Amino acid sequence: MEKIMIAKLWEIFLMVLVFTGSAQAAADGNMSRGGMRRLAGAPVAPVPITLLTSAVGIGAVCMDGTPPAFHMDPGSGEGKNRWIVHLEGGSWCESLGSCLYRKASRLGSSDLMNKELMYFGGILSSSPAENPDFFSWNRVMIRYCDGASFAGEGYDAGTGLFFRGQRIWNAVMQHLLSIGMSSADQVLLTGSSAGALAVVLHCDQFGAFFAGRDTTVKCLADAGFFLDAVNVAGGRTLRSYFGGVVATHGVAQNLPTSCTDHLNATSCFFPQNIIGGIDTPIFVLNAAYDTWQIRESLAPDGADPSGAWRACKSNRLACNELQMNILQAFRNQMVVTVLRVVSRSRSNGYFINSCFTHGQTENPATWNAYDSPAIQNKTIWKSVGDWYFGRAEVRAIDCAYPCDYTCYHDMEDQLI
Ligand SMILES: *[C@@H]1O[C@H](CO)[C@@H](O)[C@H](O)[C@H]1NC(C)=O
Ligand SMILES: *[C@@H]1O[C@H](CO)[C@@H](O)[C@H](O)[C@H]1NC(C)=O
Ligand SMILES: *[C@@H]1O[C@H](CO)[C@@H](O)[C@H](O)[C@H]1NC(C)=O
């Protein structure tokens, strides 16, 4: 059975803390590198969950038929009329079997979600020290329980599985618009990993909600630039995996027509084939050595029967010269593709740093701490803010590994 590939170490770390009863230590503490750090400041309160039960009637449900859910921390002061909508990540399921397995988890059922224990960190933080640009905004995290980046449409009678990602997207967005977001001055759609792919897929749909208004609308995709890459055995693991996701969930009908008018649905699930057709400004933030992509797309177990990549995949220091050359080629593909696709529009931005990590906006240590990752001394929160508010253009590509000494290499530094 396909194992659920959860990409966000920060979230797992918090869950571990929550379950061991020391969540407050994570919220208030400032453990040094090697653990998790948070800037000193006001203690962060958990943000409660809202179940959108009214969405069930229109079939907008999690895989098991339970209502969709979100967490919202209301804005205050200057931020009262500004909204961040963040789409939760957590991989996908690509077959009826793996979706049945996923249904029995918080990623497939709101019955199984932690109800109050969502700590908003990084770009979602309410702390002015940790999140100077967005702390006072309305901040919403939409929970991920459909298994296809909020883009599926279908139902399987044999298994009773619901594939209703697109309906969840529409229902939650309509709800947020109705409770004040429709009159927002500034909005930002964000997400990490599978949530970032969802951002790419829905960015122009998000923009359309504010058509004809003066609203500033932009999108930020963190760790969502999943390349259509060739694996170390010469195959295309992610392409066939995405093919399964698209077919199982009935995603094709919800993909941007600017892509599907010239490529097939599987190809149109790859950001590199969508972003060039997006009109809404978008920022691509990605580690060039994206650890999820290295493990699951470049050197997955299936393409490495002898296990030659096993050590290297979880620790860059264990890579031999040949493996490092392959990782450098992967980085080159990432850089070349970002330059080709994202820089097409002047209103886009990007930040491609040379770290071994996956997801850098929700983790306080990578978003804004005294030793957070930076490119030419400019950190991620500053880069995203400069781009969003038009304070500066942000088109940052790091020099190749190992030149960057600001990295937060999650696989080794963030032991859990
Ligand atoms: C954070 O670290 C500093 C320096 O080590 C220490 O003095 C302070 O008490 C710590 N704060 C918290 C909340 O643990
Ligand atoms: C989609 O297009 C790609 C690239 O041309 C091709 O390799 C793949 O087999 C196609 N997939 C399907 C399901 O047709
Ligand atoms: C970055 O900051 C350091 C320390 O302040 C400085 O020495 C260095 O010149 C800066 N580098 C760049 C590229 O701005």
Side-chain angles (χ1 to χ4, degrees):
M1 187 157 289
E2 189 70 38
K3 74 173 168 17
I4 294 179
M5 298 176 285
I6 298 178
K8 294 194 320 214
L9 294 168
W10 163 239
E11 199 173 304
I12 298 170
F13 177 79
L14 275 180
M15 282 169 57
V16 170
L17 283 166
V18 164
F19 290 130
T20 57
S22 51
Q24 212 47 47
D28 297 342
N30 58 355
M31 293 172 252
S32 63
R33 182 159 262 178
M36 182 55 63
R37 292 157 297 138
R38 183 183 276 280
L39 291 182
V44 174
V47 180
I49 200 167
T50 300
L51 296 176
L52 195 60
T53 49
S54 62
V56 175
I58 54 168
V61 291
C62 299
M63 297 180 71
D64 69 338
T66 53
F70 64 90
H71 300 249
M72 176 168 171
D73 198 2
S76 60
E78 284 204 328
K80 259 195 151 19
N81 230 13
R82 303 174 181 174
W83 292 67
I84 285 192
V85 177
H86 184 88
L87 304 175
E88 188 185 26
S91 192
W92 308 267
C93 60
E94 94 299 6
S95 65
L96 290 177
S98 68
C99 290
L100 270 176
Y101 182 75
R102 185 180 175 96
K103 183 183 89 161
S105 78
R106 65 175 181 82
L107 290 168
S109 169
S110 56
D111 278 353
L112 302 172
M113 292 173 187
N114 43 339
K115 293 297 184 276
E116 300 254 334
L117 304 173
M118 185 57 79
Y119 288 88
F120 277 11
I123 194 170
L124 292 177
S125 173
S126 59
S127 153
E130 181 177 320
N131 190 22
D133 282 324
F134 304 111
F135 73 94
S136 67
W137 288 33
N138 297 280
R139 284 152 292 110
V140 179
M141 153 105 70
I142 306 182
R143 299 299 295 264
Y144 181 34
C145 66
D146 66 278
S149 289
F150 297 83
E153 174 54 47
Y155 172 72
D156 181 66
T159 55
L161 283 167
F162 294 91
F163 302 112
R164 294 286 171 73
Q166 185 67 32
R167 292 197 204 193
I168 293 174
W169 158 264
N170 286 325
V172 179
M173 294 307 298
Q174 288 304 332
H175 177 74
L176 298 177
L177 289 162
S178 77
I179 61 170
M181 192 171 72
S182 61
S183 58
D185 304 326
Q186 298 179 321
V187 292
L188 175 61
L189 178 67
T190 77
S192 293
S193 194
L197 174 55
V199 166
V200 171
L201 292 170
H202 296 93
C203 183
D204 274 345
Q205 296 170 32
F206 186 63
F209 290 131
F210 305 94
R213 292 189 49 87
D214 267 351
T215 320
T216 303
V217 188
K218 301 193 180 189
C219 305
L220 162 63
D222 170 26
F225 205 76
F226 297 99
L227 289 171
D228 185 2
V230 174
N231 68 33
V232 293
R236 290 193 187 253
T237 305
L238 195 56
R239 189 187 284 181
S240 73
Y241 183 83
F242 275 3
V245 175
V246 165
T248 302
H249 292 259
V251 164
Q253 59 191 294
N254 295 320
L255 295 168
T257 51
S258 58
C259 181
T260 52
D261 63 9
H262 64 287
L263 294 174
N264 68 35
T266 301
S267 294
C268 292
F269 209 56
F270 283 97
Q272 69 198 64
N273 297 325
I274 309 169
I275 289 177
I278 294 179
D279 293 326
T280 309
I282 187 164
F283 191 96
V284 169
L285 163 65
N286 221 102
Y289 309 90
D290 184 316
T291 42
W292 188 93
Q293 294 194 52
I294 291 170
R295 283 198 311 275
E296 308 292 349
S297 173
L298 180 64
D301 291 347
D304 176 38
S306 70
W309 278 82
R310 207 160 294 154
C312 168
K313 271 194 291 190
S314 60
N315 180 353
R316 71 199 189 282
L317 302 172
C319 302
N320 63 32
E321 199 181 333
L322 174 66
Q323 290 167 330
M324 200 41 88
N325 288 342
I326 292 173
L327 293 174
Q328 298 295 17
F330 183 82
R331 169 190 174 266
N332 285 343
Q333 186 188 353
M334 173 85 68
V335 168
V336 165
T337 310
V338 165
L339 290 176
R340 178 170 57 81
V341 172
V342 187
S343 64
R344 219 179 266 176
S345 163
R346 300 302 298 171
S347 55
N348 291 345
Y350 47 82
F351 185 103
I352 307 297
N353 55 343
S354 291
C355 305
F356 285 72
T357 193
H358 181 75
Q360 302 179 93
T361 54
E362 289 171 74
N363 182 338
T366 47
W367 178 248
N368 180 18
Y370 70 97
D371 59 351
S372 281
I375 297 179
Q376 299 205 328
N377 289 349
K378 196 159 171 175
T379 51
I380 293 171
W381 79 268
K382 187 80 167 63
S383 302
V384 169
D386 281 358
W387 163 78
Y388 185 87
F389 296 104
R391 297 188 296 236
E393 267 197 356
V394 180
R395 295 171 166 245
I397 303 276
D398 214 348
C399 45
Y401 176 84
C403 72
D404 186 339
Y405 293 97
T406 67
C407 278
Y408 194 84
H409 297 299
D410 64 12
M411 297 314 291
E412 303 95 53
D413 293 354
Q414 203 173 323
L415 298 173
I416 51 170

